[in-house]
């Protein structure tokens, strides 16, 4: 079952601006085993969710592309090292194009319970530099700004659980929070729920939902979701293992509602190694 869970392909926990993550919530890697996922996340659009949850057209189009990486290494059967990074990204709005870095995070996942329903706690610490401001302006409903990243150190905490089911199915989920050192960013609450299926011929599928809720919202809409934001998202991900150690993966993310974020689907393409 642990091998099956290492195949899970998960896209972004946010619609726009944070690093995407792969996860096997509740499970730890066996000692010495590793998992790596590298992927590109793409946003292209002209619409934004405003701070009141309504959708508005911007004067110009925007794009945001991120290179992301996620890594797990079993230090002990009950302790897994986790790392994630967005080393480089490129954003554009109208005629302005800028490079940026989304930073990194390093943490540990510790098994609290093992067996049929494993439970684990995960804690991460990371940071990212300030990003460029691509533009902004006024809409009839208020001001907006575009920046792909807000510089800060951050601390993430999650309680995770999972369960294997018959016919190659599994379910996993987590609840947690994120704290920031930047005064511009409010603490946020997060939750995640996933249902997946592992085939006998190398195909892995999952559907999932993500929830994020900043405790404080800004008056200015942050179109790329880098500031305080709220949303209920959903997504579909798939991976196909061409060999026992290498897979290609893809994903699509959307939202049921959002505040201060991009109103466009995000696309993900990458590869996985174990």
């Amino acid at each position: 079952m642990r091998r099956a869970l290492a195949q899970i392909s998960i896209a972004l926990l946010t619609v726009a601006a944070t690093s995407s993550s792969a996860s096997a919530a509740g499970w730890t890697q066996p000692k010495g085993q590793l998992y790596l996922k590298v992927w590109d996340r793409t946003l292209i659009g002209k619409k934004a969710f405003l701070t009141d949850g309504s959708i508005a057209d911007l004067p110009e189009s925007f794009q945001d592309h991120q290179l992301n990486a996620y890594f797990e290494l079993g230090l002990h059967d009950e302790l897994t090292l986790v790392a994630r990074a967005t080393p480089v990204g490129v954003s554009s709005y109208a005629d302005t194009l800028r490079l940026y870095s989304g930073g990194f995070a390093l943490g540990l996942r510790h098994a609290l319970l093992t067996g049929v329903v494993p439970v684990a706690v995960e804690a991460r610490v990371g940071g990212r530099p300030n990003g460029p401001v691509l533009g902004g302006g006024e809409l009839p409903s208020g001001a907006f700004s575009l920046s792909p990243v807000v510089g800060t150190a951050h601390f993430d905490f999650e309680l995770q659980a999972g369960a294997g089911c018959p016919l190659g199915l599994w379910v996993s989920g987590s609840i947690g929070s994120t704290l920031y050192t930047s005064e511009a960013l409010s603490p946020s609450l997060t939750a995640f729920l996933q249902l997946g299926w592992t085939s006998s011929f190398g195909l892995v599928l999952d559907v999932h939902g993500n929830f994020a809720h900043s405790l404080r919202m800004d008056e200015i809409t942050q179109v790329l979701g880098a500031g305080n934001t709220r949303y209920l998202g959903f997504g579909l991900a798939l991976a196909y293992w061409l060999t026992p150690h290498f897979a290609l993966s893809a994903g699509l993310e959307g939202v049921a509602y959002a505040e201060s974020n991009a109103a466009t689907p995000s696309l993900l393409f990458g590869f996985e190694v174990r």
Side-chain angles (χ1 to χ4, degrees), residues 1 5 25-27 115-118 161-165 169-173 194-195:
M1 184 63 199
L5 265 294
W27 280 267
V116 178
V117 182
C165 306
L169 297 173
W170 79 82
V171 61
S172 64
Q194 175 193 54
L195 175 64

Side-chain angles (χ1 to χ4, degrees), residues 47-272:
K47 295 179 181 292
F49 284 101
L50 306 180
T51 54
D52 63 359
S54 63
I55 298 176
D57 285 308
L58 303 180
E60 304 286 348
S61 297
F62 61 85
Q63 294 192 31
D64 187 44
H65 307 270
Q66 291 182 348
L67 177 65
N68 297 275
Y70 175 82
F71 177 75
E72 291 185 357
L73 174 64
L75 302 178
H76 184 276
D77 285 353
E78 297 182 358
L79 187 65
T80 295
L81 174 72
V82 296
R84 59 191 68 193
T86 305
V88 65
V90 57
S91 286
S92 68
Y93 177 67
D95 297 328
T96 301
L97 185 147
R98 296 288 187 270
L99 293 172
Y100 67 92
S101 173
F104 71 97
L106 187 67
L108 293 170
R109 180 184 302 145
H110 176 62
L112 301 177
L113 296 174
T114 60
V116 178
V117 182
V119 177
V121 61
E122 182 171 317
R124 301 180 299 272
V125 59
R128 53 183 183 257
N130 272 315
V133 177
L134 303 171
E138 292 284 341
L139 298 170
S141 52
F144 71 93
S145 178
L146 288 95
S147 179
V149 62
V150 174
T152 185
H154 56 88
F155 306 90
D156 306 283
F157 307 92
E158 288 181 351
L159 179 65
Q160 307 173 347
C165 306
L167 304 176
L169 297 173
W170 79 82
V171 61
S172 64
S174 66
I175 57 173
S177 65
T178 302
L179 305 176
Y180 304 95
T181 58
S182 171
E183 294 182 357
L185 296 173
S186 165
S188 64
L189 306 177
T190 60
F192 177 77
L193 181 64
Q194 175 193 54
L195 175 64
W197 173 68
T198 302
S199 74
S200 60
F201 51 87
L203 181 65
V204 181
L205 298 173
D206 80 73
V207 293
H208 51 268
N210 333 297
F211 171 79
H213 185 90
S214 293
L215 299 184
R216 185 190 76 245
M217 292 297 293
D218 304 315
E219 294 182 2
I220 298 176
T221 295
Q222 302 291 339
V223 174
L224 295 178
N228 296 314
T229 183
R230 296 170 179 170
Y231 61 84
L232 176 62
F234 57 88
L236 171 68
L238 62 88
Y240 184 72
W241 290 86
L242 301 171
T243 76
H245 305 290
F246 180 80
L248 296 176
S249 59
L252 174 68
E253 296 288 316
V255 292
Y257 78 83
E259 299 175 17
S260 197
N261 219 309
T264 184
S266 57
L267 304 174
L268 301 99
F269 300 96
F271 66 88
E272 304 174 43

